[in-house]
């Protein structure tokens, strides 16, 4: 792997100015999606939503314009976690649920990398739930793509932490009695500085969200709703039908939250939360104007509660995008301060091992 001298100036390295990728060298020239296509055979089931996501990400990375050797994709275990094989960039197919921890180490030690995590609803929210929430609260400079098909696909169709209540699967033959996670609520409860949702088949919407996530400095969390045609076929079909406009609530910063084919529905404040109401029955002043940069996470959290497990309403777009110091910047600043206070020479490690804070264990007399 090419190691960039991060002590050089941005001009020396040809660094792109986009905020989330600041410090990552730009490509030498224009790129195309095929530049990110590896020589590996793509092995997902026919009709899997992962194909659309892969094609969208390849196209977006070409648009992002960073050096491929400075891109790092880290995955856990699951169908989605095969993603790094199919990109002509660097990647790590890691262990179940631990991708955020590995990505944290990369982000801290290599500020010249653009670090991405690819995970699924089972990988991220089951065994990896603890790693996910701590990456979010720490605000590590990485982008997390969570593919949510509401099922365990790789292990052949068991229910997952996002499966709807009553879901009949191989592991719940009488129906799941679990209450599922609202994925965006989990992320915002951990005070994610960037949180968004997109649908796999909405290529334009997904690209827009990816662009915003890449431009954000800190942890960017993106949930992508996608179909598993083998074990959970048609799980999001209601969001793709002709009447989907009455279910999908798209977010646009600074714009009133109206939706429907003719804007006949609106989001209004009700008590301590938000609710959907017929636009004709409320005053224009009552309709909530979306503020993705609201410092208080409670507003974005209230938005996430509009989405329900029955998919009567699903909010898409960027819920929250705010600035907060990042974990990796803080660690590097502390490391630099410690080195300046106590410069370490060539014998530094040996002095640490044999310094004054040592003792000798002698046999009892």
């Amino acid at each position: 792997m090419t190691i960039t001298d991060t002590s050089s100036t941005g001009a020396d390295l040809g660094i792109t100015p986009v905020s989330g990728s600041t410090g990552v060298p730009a490509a030498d020239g224009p790129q195309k999606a095929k530049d990110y296509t590896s020589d590996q055979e793509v092995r997902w089931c026919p009709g899997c939503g992962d194909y659309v996501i892969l094609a969208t990400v390849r196209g977006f990375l070409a648009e992002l314009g960073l050096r491929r050797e400075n891109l790092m994709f880290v995955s856990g275990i699951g169908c989605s976690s095969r993603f790094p094989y199919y990109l002509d960039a660097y990647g790590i197919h890691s262990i179940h649920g631990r991708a955020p921890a590995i990505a944290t180490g990369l982000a801290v030690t290599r500020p010249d990398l653009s670090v991405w995590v690819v995970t699924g609803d089972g990988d991220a929210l089951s065994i990896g739930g603890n790693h996910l929430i701590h990456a979010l609260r720490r605000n590590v400079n990485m982008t997390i793509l969570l593919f949510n098909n509401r099922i365990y696909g790789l292990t052949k169709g068991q229910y997952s932490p996002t499966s709807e209540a009553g879901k009949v699967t191989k592991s719940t033959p009488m129906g799941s009695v679990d209450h599922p996670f609202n994925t965006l609520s989990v992320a915002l409860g951990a005070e994610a500085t960037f949180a968004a949702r997109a649908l796999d088949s909405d290529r334009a919407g997904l690209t827009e969200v990816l662009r915003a996530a890449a431009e954000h400095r800190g942890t960017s969390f993106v949930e992508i709703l996608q179909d598993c045609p083998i074990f959970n076929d048609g799980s999001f079909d209601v969001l793709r039908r002709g009447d989907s406009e009455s279910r999908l609530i798209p977010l646009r910063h600074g714009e009133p939250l109206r939706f429907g084919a003719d804007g006949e529905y609106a989001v209004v404040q009700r008590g301590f939360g938000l609710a959907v109401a017929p636009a004709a029955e409320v005053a224009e002043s009552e309709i909530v104007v979306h503020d993705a940069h609201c410092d208080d996470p409670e507003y974005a959290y209230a938005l996430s509660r509009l989405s329900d497990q029955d998919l009567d309403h699903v909010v898409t777009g960027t819920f929250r995008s705010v600035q907060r110091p990042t974990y990796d910047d803080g660690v590097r600043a502390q490391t630099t301060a410690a080195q300046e206070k106590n410069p370490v020479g060539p014998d530094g490690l040996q002095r640490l091992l044999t310094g004054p804070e040592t003792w000798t264990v002698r046999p009892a007399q």
Side-chain angles (χ1 to χ4, degrees), residues 11 31 37 40 45 50 56 78 107 119 142 168 179 192 196 204 209 211 217 253 274 284 303 305-306 314 316 328 356:
Q31 298 175 330
T37 303
Q40 298 297 300
C45 301
D50 289 355
T56 304
T119 184
M142 67 173 79
V168 175
H179 183 75
V209 162
R211 185 182 299 111
R217 187 157 188 84
H253 176 69
L274 301 175
E284 190 67 29
L303 274 178
R305 304 311 296 171
L306 289 172
V314 173
T316 61
D328 42 309

Side-chain angles (χ1 to χ4, degrees), residues 24 43 52 54 70 120 241 243-244 261 297 359 365:
V24 183
R43 294 188 177 183
V52 181
L54 176 62
N70 290 84
R241 294 191 316 223
D243 62 346
S244 63
W359 60 91
Q365 299 297 325

